[in-house]
Amino acid sequence: MSLSRTLPFLLLSLAFVTDGSSARAADWIHWRGPEQNGFSREKNLPAEFNPATGAKGNVIWSAPYGGRCAPLVMGGRVYVLQGTGTGLEESEQMVCVDEKTGKLLWTYRVNVFHTDIVSTRLAWAPLTGDPATGYVYAQTTGGLMLCVDKDGKLVWQHSLTEEYGRASGYGGRIPSPIFDSGLVIVGMISSSWGDFARGTNRFVAFDGKTGQVVWWFDAGFPSKETYCSHPIVAVLNGQRVLVTGGGDGYLHAVKVRTGERVWSYQYCAGAANPAPIADGNLIYAVHGDENPEGGPYGRIICLDTSKLDKDGKPTLVWEFKKSVRFGLASPALAEGRLYAPDDVGDLHCFNAKTGKPLWKYRYANEVRGSPLIADGKVYINDVQRRMLILTLKGNEKPDELDTFEYRFKEPKGIYSETNGTPIAVNGHVYFVSAASLWCLGSPDTKPETAKYPAPPAETPFQESAIAGARLFPADVVLKPGEKVQFQVVFVDANGREVKDNRPSPAAVWSLPLPAKTPTGAQPPALQGTVANGELTVAPIPSQQGYVEFDSGGIKARARVRVAALVPWKQDFEKTPAGSSPSGWVNANGKFSVVKLPDGNQVLMKSNNDPRPPLAKANAFITLPDAANYTIQADLMGTQIRGGMGDFGLINSRYTLVLDGKTDPDSKKRQLRLVSWEARPRITRVEDFDWQPGVWYTAKLAIEHKEKTAIVRGKVWKKGDPEPEAWTVELEDPSPNRVGAAGLYGYVTNSTAVETGANCYYDNITITPNAKK
């Protein structure tokens, strides 16, 4: 189920945990451990790994559930996210096994869709969890934000791509969610609607129990590319903040409970992928891209967040910048030393306070996994199927004679990179290879619960110290005519909820005008009424806007989208030229209404920017839980400098594409039916020699059966009788049962100075399928 649509009349309150986490020392709910720094305080851990040693060895158990990221251990269970299956069955799944035995308890499987990420890079975002509820949270490659309970049942989900315009790139870079203070917070490059139409790095916080949106943070800087800097939560200067790198090259610190910016610090000219580390008020961050001021690639920085400059940015304590790229693996911090793997396989050790290099140890040629420091050892994988265990010698370089190495012998047919990061909890070391999940330990040693230091304390709570307010929920999607009740939550400077003890302050609720577009046009306000926090939207689909609360200068705002319902139709004749359809996701700036020479108004895919997130886009019309419908539209493309675009229709996460390229064998253009374009899980191609300047009618329908679905598409010249036969057809044994209706467009031949081909859309209809 999706909770993007808020239940009408329902007022839900948030119960935040004051310390931000109820995790026990015996749980490992953050991929870098209880201190979020890659350091485990476990003792008596094995210094070697050899499955051939049998019962006398140190392999407690192994299970056939490999992957690419760190496991999660919570409540006596081990969880991993992994790619699974082949061919038409290829997908992702969350796996849960018993912590003591490795026995499979359950799996939760989801399809992959709307992404350019290939199968060898699936499931790269670590999991997070809430020990109090047993809920586990995941961001999948297809963009699902999942909340699954300890028994493998779905509690809630959001489709980040279809609801919020999340972008994903080829490289598999997807940041992990993090659980803290009752919230699940996840970052993404996104472009949705209104003031979030511009593509940039954003972060959204969901209530961990209900999935409703608590806050958004818009970083506001141009994003370079997708990224995978997994966030941390730390108390800095008495304030609880989330700290993360971004696809914009900045390090961001925001208040955990409200999403308000504390500071942003640029340290990279590209995307920042490794996770930061906190130590008291110090923050460590690394990257492997260009530096903003030029010079050599790569950098390590240490920032003092207790000393802010005149611009409110933390002070640089030290940096290391000597043509070493730290772009893929995250560093670890333990006992005053910072351990940072570079991209070519050198492990660098620094004095964490001064930045003095202590030693460098060559252990690999290619690196993705991050180091675990535990029991005087470094546990780390290289990409080429090797697990290495280095015995540390303080400030001295490890001895090669004390380094244990094991090369995994993966089954034939398994893509056998090793990219995961080990963890150590409850006396055991857990990690994944490409094919297996492993548990190592000393059979004769009884595990002792590791003791971790208490985290820094927040500034003492003052009940009457109102610093601001927020509206809950902060972002809702409604049906036409539906109602929702907003709650005003007054907060202190740390975002903690406080009572409003002011003497009867006036409260004004309004539906404000949105900001003007870059062209100067004034979008309309949300149509509806609001009183005492209860909003009733007008019975008009496809609109968007804001609800605002103002009480004595204390203001708060929430986002409201009214999505199109099935049945629905649009011919764009009443839509102002130059605008984008209201209530759609990822349409602003990528699709706009134009008037053709014959006076007909149509929708056009933007063709003046070659950057991938703008040249190629999906625009989503309905909610992601739409099902059992048919979408139809008129389509026409032009030819510019010998090239034509690719464009078409989206139905339930399948896409019917008029391909603008000419097939070299048939010398004809083609019609493609795809779901996961980067992989041929669902791909059917038929010759269809459509011509420039000619209008065609396209139709995409899905017939659901008990275990499969028949996906059918057809295209014919506009005005001709609809052909009885389908142009392209396939049966999916693992079907997408739901998904937002939408449009796809990809202008392949625009340049920085020349516009590309035109892709036009008109007369869109979405109709329910007849019940059988």
Side-chain angles (χ1 to χ4, degrees), residues 76 80 172-173 186 218 228 264 269 342 351 359-360 368 497 543 561 625 637 662 770:
V80 294
R173 293 178 292 270
V186 65
D218 185 345
C228 63
S264 294
D342 66 28
N351 180 301
W359 48 261
K360 180 175 69 173
R368 297 288 189 277
E497 185 172 352
Q543 59 162 321
R561 173 187 171 216
D625 59 3
T662 301

Side-chain angles (χ1 to χ4, degrees), residues 176-478:
S176 166
I178 187 170
F179 177 82
D180 191 89
S181 301
L183 305 175
V184 185
I185 306 169
V186 65
M188 69 189 96
I189 308 297
S190 76
S191 171
S192 58
W193 58 264
D195 54 349
F196 283 7
R198 183 169 63 94
T200 189
N201 220 146
R202 294 187 176 90
F203 301 83
V204 59
F206 300 105
D207 175 66
K209 293 181 179 179
T210 69
Q212 291 181 291
V213 177
V214 176
W215 56 254
W216 279 98
F217 167 64
D218 185 345
F221 303 106
S223 294
K224 309 301 192 300
E225 56 182 324
T226 54
Y227 75 108
C228 63
S229 179
H230 308 315
I232 65 170
V233 170
V235 176
L236 304 178
N237 303 311
Q239 192 169 68
R240 194 165 197 85
V241 297
L242 175 139
V243 184
T244 180
D248 48 17
Y250 281 76
L251 196 65
H252 299 289
V254 303
K255 297 179 184 179
V256 164
R257 300 179 183 93
T258 62
E260 298 170 275
R261 190 194 311 269
V262 179
W263 47 259
S264 294
Y265 184 99
Q266 187 178 21
Y267 67 116
C268 176
N273 289 309
I277 290 174
D279 182 19
N281 287 325
L282 298 179
I283 291 289
Y284 300 90
V286 309
H287 77 81
D289 216 307
E290 296 180 77
N291 286 298
E293 69 280 6
Y297 276 54
R299 176 186 250 154
I300 300 178
I301 60 171
C302 173
L303 303 176
D304 187 345
T305 66
S306 68
K307 300 176 181 178
L308 304 182
D309 64 18
K310 59 182 178 62
D311 296 320
K313 295 180 174 58
T315 302
L316 181 67
V317 178
W318 60 263
E319 68 177 349
F320 177 85
K321 189 173 66 169
K322 294 185 178 179
S323 296
V324 181
R325 305 181 73 157
F326 302 95
L328 301 171
S330 296
L333 179 69
E335 299 173 325
R337 287 179 283 273
L338 184 73
Y339 300 87
D342 66 28
D343 293 354
V344 296
D346 284 321
L347 181 64
H348 299 251
C349 180
F350 300 86
N351 180 301
K353 298 298 183 185
T354 67
K356 177 183 177 181
L358 300 177
W359 48 261
K360 180 175 69 173
Y361 183 89
R362 182 76 166 187
Y363 72 98
N365 293 316
E366 190 178 5
V367 175
R368 297 288 189 277
S370 302
L372 167 71
I373 313 299
D375 195 23
K377 309 173 188 71
V378 178
Y379 296 83
I380 193 167
N381 289 322
D382 79 348
V383 171
Q384 303 302 322
R385 308 184 308 283
R386 292 191 306 158
M387 156 67 79
L388 295 103
I389 305 175
L390 286 62
T391 300
L392 293 172
K393 301 171 64 177
N395 291 341
E396 297 181 23
K397 181 179 178 180
D399 193 325
E400 291 186 13
L401 296 177
D402 291 331
T403 298
F404 181 84
E405 174 185 329
Y406 177 81
R407 185 177 291 272
F408 296 99
K409 300 174 180 63
E410 306 288 23
K412 186 177 181 180
I414 295 290
Y415 188 78
S416 55
E417 286 187 356
T418 39
N419 298 279
T421 297
I423 70 172
V425 60
N426 299 331
H428 296 150
V429 176
Y430 299 90
F431 59 92
V432 293
S433 63
S436 299
L437 169 63
W438 300 89
C439 172
L440 303 188
S442 301
D444 299 330
T445 302
K446 184 178 180 180
E448 298 180 4
T449 301
K451 296 181 180 180
Y452 287 86
E458 293 187 68
T459 301
F461 181 77
Q462 296 181 13
E463 178 62 39
S464 60
I466 296 178
R470 58 176 175 79
L471 294 185
F472 175 74
D475 192 319
V476 296
V477 184
L478 301 176

Side-chain angles (χ1 to χ4, degrees), residues 59-64 101-102 436-439:
V59 177
I60 305 300
W61 54 259
S62 66
T101 66
S436 299
L437 169 63
W438 300 89
C439 172

Side-chain angles (χ1 to χ4, degrees), residues 631 649 656 671-673 686 697-702 710-716 723 725-730:
I631 182 170
L649 310 178
L656 181 69
L671 185 68
R672 289 189 289 119
L673 182 59
E686 298 288 346
T697 300
K699 187 175 188 177
L700 180 59
I702 300 168
I710 309 297
V711 188
R712 301 182 175 101
K714 65 172 68 172
V715 181
W716 66 97
W726 295 90
T727 315
V728 59
E729 184 174 350
L730 59 84

Side-chain angles (χ1 to χ4, degrees), residues 589-671:
K590 299 172 185 177
F591 297 82
S592 60
V593 175
V594 298
K595 181 174 286 190
L596 298 180
D598 63 3
N600 186 33
Q601 287 205 158
V602 300
L603 190 69
M604 185 184 83
K605 172 68 184 70
S606 300
N607 62 352
N608 58 356
D609 197 318
R611 289 176 294 175
L614 296 173
K616 182 178 183 179
N618 292 333
F620 298 107
I621 303 170
T622 68
L623 295 167
D625 59 3
N628 294 309
Y629 62 88
T630 296
I631 182 170
Q632 178 175 308
D634 296 332
L635 308 174
M636 192 261 281
T638 67
Q639 192 171 49
I640 301 291
R641 298 185 302 280
M644 297 181 69
D646 303 341
F647 60 128
L649 310 178
I650 301 169
N651 183 336
S652 301
R653 299 161 184 168
Y654 300 96
T655 307
L656 181 69
V657 182
L658 288 171
D659 195 320
K661 299 181 292 296
T662 301
D663 179 69
D665 295 325
S666 67
K667 308 298 183 184
K668 296 179 180 180
R669 295 187 180 89
Q670 296 179 324
L671 185 68

